[in-house]
Amino acid sequence: MHASATQHIQQLRRQWLIQGQVQGVGFRPFVYRLARELQLQGYVRNDGQGVTVEAQGAAKQLARFERRLQTDKPGLAVIDSIYTTHVTPNAHEDGFIIVHSEADGATARVTIDTALCDMCKRELLDPIDRRHGYALINCTHCGPRYSIVNGIPYDRPNTTMAGFDMCPDCEDEYTDPADRRYHAQPIACHACGPTLQLLAPTGDPFDADPIARAAELLLDGGIVAIKGLGGFHLAVRADDENAVQRLRQRKQRDAKPFAVMVRDIDAAKHLARLSDEAAKLLRSAVCPIVLAEANNAAALAQSIAPGVHRVGLMLPYTPIHHLLYAAEPRLNLLVMTSANLTDEPLVIDNDEAVERLGGLCDALLLHDRPIARRVDDSVVIDMPDAPPLPIRRARGYAPAPLRLPIAADEPGLCVGGELKNTVAVVRGDEVILSQHLGDLKHPLALEAFEQAVHDLMALFEVQPRWVACDAHPLYLSTQRAKRWAEQWGVPLIEVQHHHAHAAALLAEHRMTEPILAAVCDGVGYGDDGGVWGGELLLAGAMGYRRLAHLRPLRLPGGDAAARDTRRCALALLYQAFGDDFADHPVALRLYPSRDERTVLATMIKNNVRCAESTAAGRVFDGVAALLGLCSENRHEAEAPMKLEAAASMVGQLGVGLKLDAEVTGDVIDLAPMVRQLLVAEAKGSSKHELAAAFHAGFADAWAELVGHAAATTGVRCVGLTGGVFCNERLTTTLSERLTAARLRVLRHEAVPPNDGGLALGQAYAAIDHLKDTEG
């Protein structure tokens, strides 16, 4: 009697709600196998919140089960939280099963798209495997997720694979809990799945094996549009200068560097100096583009990355990429750039590809698995002494949520900025940041932005009760935010641009206390209506105080100076030399035409049609022009990139020339540094030495300013944010100066320092504002 009672007491039942990246990663079959191993009864299912598990058995076995849910989980799984509940045992249950998904309240995480796993790659290239050569092979460990999902929970009927019925072999794998493809929603094979085609630019199919013919075209210097996970690439041999130049002409991309896909990690290390962390990231499931210092530029066409010291590298991450390299051993280096004309959105639809890309390429290699949304490649900078710096957050990262240290009482929408746009929906303490959407000034890009907003709201079932935007009244994202807030009858919260940058850094590091934020970028609308961009803020989530800034430049023509860097150089000369600046030899070199020089000089001296700007980005533009490195930004930040490239020729310890700015009160005055720079140039210092000295002097000035502010405010934590801190040399140098002064330095690791992080900052600032208003 006593033994029977003890046996009965040991039969316990518990329920676990597991939240995080747990759908589409093989989590349910993992739970199933684990429960069967431990001889537990119960079930597992996907639902709108994540994965729910109920298991019944002895207390010791349940404890082991709960522990191993976390320690033995699948490689792609990320557990954010586990909620455990004790429930009544079920005396009639026998065994452990996977039950049909439920779709109540979509708060589950959508899984990221990932690179082809090693097991699928082996099958892909194995002549005796039934999926040998199948261009859309995948399993629960790899392949498309976010780019194919239409709704939560993540089940096949809610994906773009819904129209493809499984063959008996695939169905056997899909329903076998012991199989790697158990409940792999995009499962497919030659017999039942999407198929590959190679089309001529007219849309007519080639009468040849698609992979073999495409590889042959690439080898011969042809341009091939290739459909990937989240859109099309334009591919061409990266070691064929004529082919690369032809691609530039057709794509209308004069100078912006191209990314290069290399055959393997050894090829990547041959082309660039890679840190161990960067090499690991290249081989990971995320597989971003890594910008690393080039060490064998001769192996690439000269026009791949003209004038810069880094090369963007990535490894093959789709089956199609691997098949192309396997088909032609002589192909080793391929340009892989987004398939669009400059500033247009990424192409994802097959018919649209023929229409929009037919004039850009010699063939289109595509499949008929639909893409649900555009997802571009992610980009990071290899930082040798720090984690990689995100520059573009997209494939492999989006839409993984970012958690705030506070929670919103009601859901919201944040629309970001106008350049490098991302948007976000907010629910509770989660900010679900979209993939990179790009610059919104092109009509097609603005249309894609609106589609992305509504897509994100629908996918995560968020109906915003508030909307946050940038304070700039002319930003297209701000104008759309105002319209939506009015339509929905909800509050609109405008967040100052540089405060949003600082708040993004605070959110990323889950900081609740204010920091000293050095915010350096190209442009942002200031509270005084001016153009800001070189700011020291005492910033918390709810608000900020402007402590100091760069001395304003008088930029002739306003926005025109962002492209014509010579105008920024003239503004620096005016600061340095006063009214006689137009007669300086450098001004004569910048503008040989006396009439043009006189008009611009008059505008500056009389402050007519000029924008007063503290933007650090324009300073870097101007110095690049003063040194003759770049007279025009043909793409964003071309001049600063060339300035950093010139500085990279001089090691950090080899900067003998010292340039000093004047830090007085709340202003950094760069005029003395400009005068010293030009004197040193006249005495024969090289452009490389001058560029390196400028970086060091600029960092010194900011370190001095921040040091004063830290002593005054007592705040010892400093954040570096804004697009100028995409400059690795400046970021590293300033970080070293601040650390030496025993200040804690925060840098971006999860979202970009550029405008790609604004939506996250808007979310944190808006939530704090709403709570303060309600309080």
Side-chain angles (χ1 to χ4, degrees), residues 388-409:
L389 179 70
I391 299 300
R392 186 168 74 198
R393 185 179 184 272
R395 177 184 51 77
Y397 295 98
L402 298 152
R403 291 194 174 273
L404 298 176
I406 59 174
D409 295 326

Side-chain angles (χ1 to χ4, degrees), residues 493-504:
I493 301 152
E494 296 183 352
V495 182
Q496 197 277 331
H497 189 87
H498 302 97
H499 179 212
H501 274 305

Side-chain angles (χ1 to χ4, degrees), residues 444-465:
L444 289 177
L446 183 60
E447 181 182 331
F449 158 80
E450 293 182 339
Q451 290 172 352
V453 167
H454 292 293
D455 172 59
L456 206 63
M457 288 165 49
L459 183 60
F460 293 98
E461 295 186 6
V462 169
Q463 181 55 53
R465 304 302 302 162

